[in-house]
Amino acid sequence: GAVVSQHPSWVICKSGTSVKIECRSLDFQATTMFWYRQFPKQSLMLMATSNEGSKATYEQGVEKDKFLINHASLTLSTLTVTSAHPEDSSFYICSARDGDTVNQPQHFGDGTRLSIL
Amino acid sequence: QKEVEQDPGPLSVPEGAIVSLNCTYSNSAFQYFMWYRQYSRKGPELLMYTYSSGNKEDGRFTAQVDKSSKYISLFIRDSQPSDSATYLCAMNHYGNNRLAFGKGNQVVVIP
């Protein structure tokens, strides 16, 4: 149980393109989903917390107009990297919590490798 | 001082050996402790989740929490080459969504 699916797994696109990444909880409802960024050989860096039906909460230093998050249903959150540039190239990972309480662990998707040329 | 300290390794062990990983933390409010396994180019996979001091066993994995010492451990018995991965400890406290992660410990099990 507690499977999180992330799509696409790998994207290569030109500078200036907007890229949308989907995160789905397959067998549970996720009131809260999270978006992380991970650089090579480093730990995960939280970008934003996404709550179903409300605006996302962004971490300090993360541009909300650059990284648009939509959490329209209890099983789907999307991250759109707008006008992507080479410095946005990274590994983006979503997670979801099974249940409403903070004491439930987060389950992660398999990540999206974004390469901007 | 970082909230969570984890020696990044790498740690190389022969197949069949016991792998011992640990993290220390500074925030005594942390109540929920997790170990994740991450293979290269994949997302972290939840291995163990505990919220009380003591040991929790699941197959070849044992998670240990010592809240008085602010110290958690993960033991992998009879290690296999397929256990070669990066292991991340993570923790949070009630009322806080944010997970505090260790840097991750790269483990290599040599056949």
Side-chain angles (χ1 to χ4, degrees), chain A residues 38 43 59 97 103 106 109, chain B residues 32 36 38 43 49 97-98 102:
Chain A
Q38 187 178 34
S43 193
E59 295 298 302
R97 205 170 51 214
N103 63 341
Q106 293 179 27
Chain B
Y32 309 106
Y36 289 91
Q38 186 175 22
Y49 170 61
N97 274 319
R98 176 198 296 265

Side-chain angles (χ1 to χ4, degrees), chain B residues 59-108:
Chain B
R60 296 185 296 112
F61 299 94
T62 299
Q64 193 174 73
V65 174
D66 183 345
K67 289 187 178 180
S68 62
S69 301
K70 299 192 188 72
Y71 187 94
I72 66 171
S73 300
L74 177 71
F75 301 98
I76 308 173
R77 290 183 298 281
D78 187 25
S79 57
Q80 305 294 309
S82 58
D83 294 327
S84 298
T86 296
Y87 291 81
L88 294 153
C89 63
M91 53 198 76
N92 67 338
H93 59 77
Y94 190 82
N96 191 334
N97 274 319
R98 176 198 296 265
L99 284 180
F101 285 94
K103 279 190 173 181
N105 203 171
Q106 186 182 357
V107 172
V108 177

Side-chain angles (χ1 to χ4, degrees), chain A residues 40-80:
Chain A
K41 299 190 183 298
Q42 293 190 26
S43 193
L44 287 77
M45 183 183 74
L46 181 65
M47 297 175 66
T49 302
S50 164
N51 291 296
E52 184 264 338
S54 63
K55 289 183 179 180
T57 302
Y58 291 82
E59 295 298 302
Q60 191 172 8
V62 178
E63 298 175 58
K64 61 181 180 181
D65 295 329
K66 174 76 170 176
F67 299 99
L68 299 179
I69 292 172
N70 184 282
H71 191 160
S73 78
L74 286 172
T75 59
L76 173 65
S77 176
T78 60
L79 168 68
T80 301

Side-chain angles (χ1 to χ4, degrees), chain B residues 2-3 25-31 33 70 91 93 96:
Chain B
K2 290 188 178 179
E3 275 193 309
Y25 61 95
S26 57
N27 188 344
S28 57
F30 285 141
Q31 296 175 279
F33 305 92
K70 299 192 188 72
M91 53 198 76
H93 59 77
N96 191 334

